Amino acid sequence: MSDSYPPYGGQQPDPNVTPWSGPPAPQQGGYPGYGQPAQAPQFGAPFPPPKKSNKGLIIGLVAGAVVLVLAICGAGIGLILVNGDDDEPITVATAGPSAGPGASGTPGTDASPTPGQQETQEPNNNAVTARYSSDLSNVCEGGQILNAAPYNGPTGAKAYTFSNNPDRPNFWSTKSVASNKPYYAKSADFETVSVVGCLKFVEGSEGAPKKCQYKDSAGKQVTIDYISSRYTLTFYAAKTGEKIGDGGTITAPAARCPSFISYNKTTMKSHAAPDSGSIEAALDKFLS
């Protein structure tokens, strides 16, 4: 018995296939045959659809807001241009702490000059150049003495004193002080004087009159009412006319009838002069 072989290159029959069993069942899990399309694998749930973007809405809102702001600004500028000529501009000033003239940077100190020391002050309309010592009484009427000595403080200052009178309120007479006082100045040395003391009569200060008997120039006996009163003493810088101090109240006593008297022939009255001792005491205190 000879073996039979299939023809060269032929395919051997499948021993599992019989003429009555039909074609072989397809294999599970194998690779698809050549030329057959691969089946898409099955995954989980499908992806959700992408969310809608709000970028366009936001851009639109921003653009609308910009347009609205520009419209409001344009309306405001238009109103200002229309009404700009009707109202005057209002200047607002703020106030902050500032150092005044002459203020010192050290707390509690004052670098301001002593009153009367400001020689750069412009002379007023009543300023005069004195020719006599009596011209310095102009200070008591609000004037200045252009050729007087500058006031540089009480030490070494020279002073004149003048007084008015109820009968002649605008006439100022000289009140002498003792020649041994450091502030005394001769009448010829008026240009060395830097302080003027003004004694002003106090209205309504008269006391009860004292009856004094005298003979007039014709030898006739007359009775004079000798009246006491009060004065206020104020010190001024002669050159600038600036007030530099107060001398207080000076009395004009009429306790005794003087040996010589000046009186008003119409009223037959005479007012006592300010007390010389009180004047010197006030000068001593102020110029010491």
Side-chain angles (χ1 to χ4, degrees):
M1 181 175 176
S2 61
D3 295 329
S4 60
Y5 295 93
Y8 181 77
Q11 183 178 5
Q12 293 183 358
D14 188 349
N16 295 323
V17 178
T18 61
W20 58 85
S21 61
Q27 297 180 359
Q28 298 293 327
Y31 292 97
Y34 179 78
Q36 295 181 358
Q39 186 177 2
Q42 299 295 322
F43 296 95
F47 292 103
K51 295 183 179 180
K52 294 183 179 181
S53 175
N54 294 330
K55 184 181 297 184
L57 178 60
I58 294 174
I59 294 174
L61 291 176
V62 172
V66 171
V67 172
L68 179 60
V69 171
L70 292 177
I72 293 174
C73 292
I77 294 173
L79 289 175
I80 292 174
L81 293 176
V82 171
N83 299 326
D85 296 334
D86 295 338
D87 298 328
E88 295 183 358
I90 299 175
T91 302
V92 179
T94 58
S98 61
S104 172
T106 304
T109 61
D110 185 5
S112 300
T114 303
Q117 290 183 341
Q118 300 174 357
E119 296 185 43
T120 58
Q121 178 181 347
E122 289 292 331
N124 61 32
N125 292 343
N126 295 323
V128 299
T129 298
R131 295 184 297 168
Y132 308 100
S133 61
S134 59
D135 291 338
L136 273 74
S137 65
N138 188 60
V139 174
C140 297
E141 291 290 337
Q144 301 168 339
I145 307 302
L146 299 178
N147 56 335
Y151 177 71
N152 295 316
T155 303
K158 303 296 183 180
Y160 280 168
T161 307
F162 301 91
S163 172
N164 68 350
N165 187 284
D167 293 328
R168 303 175 67 184
N170 295 325
F171 176 78
W172 298 84
S173 59
T174 302
K175 298 302 172 185
S176 300
V177 296
S179 59
N180 62 344
K181 295 294 182 180
Y183 44 80
Y184 169 80
K186 297 179 181 180
S187 58
D189 298 332
F190 60 87
E191 291 185 349
T192 65
V193 173
S194 61
V195 177
V196 172
C198 299
L199 287 153
K200 187 176 182 180
F201 172 76
V202 178
E203 295 289 342
S205 64
E206 294 100 331
K210 182 178 180 62
K211 303 294 184 179
C212 297
Q213 303 294 325
Y214 296 95
K215 287 184 179 181
D216 62 10
S217 57
K220 182 182 177 180
Q221 189 77 24
V222 294
T223 301
I224 306 298
D225 288 338
Y226 190 47
I227 304 172
S228 63
S229 60
R230 294 190 302 275
Y231 289 77
T232 56
L233 176 58
T234 306
F235 297 112
Y236 298 91
K239 194 174 189 67
T240 64
E242 182 182 1
K243 178 182 175 180
I244 56 176
D246 290 309
T249 300
I250 305 297
T251 59
R256 295 185 302 173
C257 295
S259 57
F260 177 81
I261 193 171
S262 296
Y263 61 95
N264 187 314
K265 292 183 179 181
T266 302
T267 62
M268 301 300 289
K269 293 181 179 180
S270 177
H271 286 82
D275 180 56
S276 297
S278 298
I279 295 172
E280 290 184 0
L283 286 166
D284 290 342
K285 182 178 180 180
F286 180 70
L287 297 177
S288 60

